[in-house]
Amino acid sequence: MIGELPDITVGQTFPSRRALHDAGVHRPLQAGICGTKQTGAESIVVSGGYKDDEDYGAVIIYTGHGGRDPESQKQVAEQSLTDPGNAALVTSYLEGFPVRVVRGAQSRSPYAPAEGYRYDGLFSVSSFGSKMGVDGFRVWQFRLEAKNQPEKGTDPNPEDNLPISVEDLSPRKLVATQRIVRNTGVARQVKTWHLDQCQVCGTRLVVPGGTYSEAAHIQALGAPHNGADVVGNILCLCPNCHVLFDAGAIYLRDDLVVMAGETEVGPLRLDSRHQIRLECVRSHRARWRR
């Protein structure tokens, strides 16, 4: 289950990994990442298992799974994004899914509990990248940022932690929230049918560990447009075409030809499983065209 769990509160403590498992907060008894490439990461445990981890409270630089010798605790091989746990965190980044974070007393972090384990709420995977670890092998690291919580610490040199530039936390929180809203089960179904290929321009963005696209509602959700969150009201678009469509720079005719003003862009890319609702198309067009 992605996200919060019923009857589990932020700050709740657990005496053991078995107790975490029984409560459903973090199901694996040993692995630090729970999840798959298909579903995303449900939860992680920060417990000092990897030397390259860094914990700033509201920001965690979390080292992925793999390549560590269980006896010496040293990194003896390079990590891969094909590892199920690492692939799960990539999916959480691409889809904007929240991840439950648990801290263990074994961690060197000043934010760790004095004993046992503590559930510290939902975090977003805001970026990821690889670097040469302290033991001389390449590791994958994921930057996680606390969602809707007061900052507990300061990240003094965020740009030193990952090979990806890092911006202020607040706008990233907004982006993560938007992605979660737009990546419901039906949105993911549409993107899966189209293999993340934009229905307007055909672009398929390939990034390390996966592909990326965005689900665009044809008839906007909420008042005053009152569109439904159903597959017939969703398009699979690249970020550029998503912005153009939401702003009315492109729209659809009833025959599902894409238009830019009075100019034909071309037919919408279709899949027989994806039946688009014409009433949604007309609602979108009415917002931008007479």
Side-chain angles (χ1 to χ4, degrees):
M1 180 176 179
I2 303 295
E4 297 285 9
L5 297 175
D7 304 321
I8 302 296
T9 58
V10 175
Q12 188 169 336
T13 58
F14 301 84
S16 65
R17 291 287 292 260
R18 170 58 67 177
L20 285 171
H21 166 86
D22 292 345
V25 177
H26 185 77
R27 296 186 290 114
L29 295 176
Q30 289 187 321
I33 306 170
C34 177
T36 67
K37 179 180 177 64
Q38 290 71 34
T39 64
E42 296 178 20
S43 57
I44 64 167
V45 172
V46 183
S47 58
Y50 289 87
K51 298 177 183 178
D52 294 280
D53 284 354
E54 299 180 51
D55 190 350
Y56 302 103
V59 174
I60 298 171
I61 309 302
Y62 186 78
T63 307
H65 177 265
R68 186 175 62 123
D69 178 52
E71 298 295 330
S72 67
Q73 304 298 305
K74 291 184 177 181
Q75 198 74 21
V76 296
E78 295 194 342
Q79 294 183 345
S80 170
L81 286 183
T82 60
D83 178 277
N86 299 339
L89 284 169
V90 172
T91 296
S92 295
Y93 164 75
L94 293 174
E95 300 292 343
F97 293 154
V99 180
R100 293 190 298 275
V101 167
V102 174
R103 287 184 170 95
Q106 308 93 325
S107 172
R108 301 178 300 277
S109 167
Y111 304 100
E115 58 184 8
Y117 297 86
R118 186 184 65 233
Y119 171 55
D120 282 349
L122 298 180
F123 282 62
S124 296
V125 183
S126 62
S127 60
F128 72 98
S130 67
K131 74 169 191 177
M132 192 63 66
V134 296
D135 286 327
F137 293 91
R138 187 162 297 279
V139 297
W140 285 91
Q141 291 195 306
F142 300 84
R143 180 183 171 96
L144 292 102
E145 299 175 356
K147 292 173 59 61
N148 303 321
Q149 299 178 54
E151 293 191 26
K152 300 175 184 176
T154 303
D155 181 356
N157 298 299
E159 294 188 359
D160 294 339
N161 296 320
L162 285 177
I164 298 173
S165 62
V166 177
E167 301 167 2
D168 179 71
L169 287 177
S170 298
R172 286 185 175 271
K173 288 181 180 177
L174 291 173
V175 170
T177 301
Q178 183 186 41
R179 285 181 178 171
I180 291 168
V181 169
R182 291 186 174 177
N183 282 285
T184 60
V186 290
R188 293 196 72 194
Q189 179 63 78
V190 170
K191 298 201 295 180
T192 298
W193 282 338
H194 293 281
L195 302 176
D196 287 324
Q197 185 177 23
C198 179
Q199 288 183 257
V200 172
C201 70
T203 298
R204 187 170 185 260
L205 298 176
V206 179
V207 299
T211 54
Y212 178 74
S213 65
E214 295 183 354
H217 286 89
I218 303 169
Q219 181 178 351
L221 300 181
H225 309 293
N226 301 316
D229 192 29
V230 296
V231 295
N233 188 34
I234 293 174
L235 298 177
C236 175
L237 301 180
C238 69
N240 285 350
C241 290
H242 190 173
V243 171
L244 293 173
F245 188 79
D246 279 357
I250 57 175
Y251 62 95
L252 296 174
R253 293 194 318 218
D254 280 3
D255 59 0
L256 302 184
V257 168
V258 182
M259 301 291 294
E262 301 301 324
T263 302
E264 288 191 8
V265 175
L268 189 72
R269 295 169 183 267
L270 301 175
D271 183 285
S272 60
R273 297 164 293 183
H274 183 199
Q275 298 299 310
I276 294 172
R277 293 186 175 183
L278 283 183
E279 63 269 26
C280 299
V281 168
R282 291 163 181 163
S283 174
H284 174 269
R285 192 168 64 239
R287 290 178 60 191
W288 306 106
R289 309 295 297 173
R290 289 184 180 274

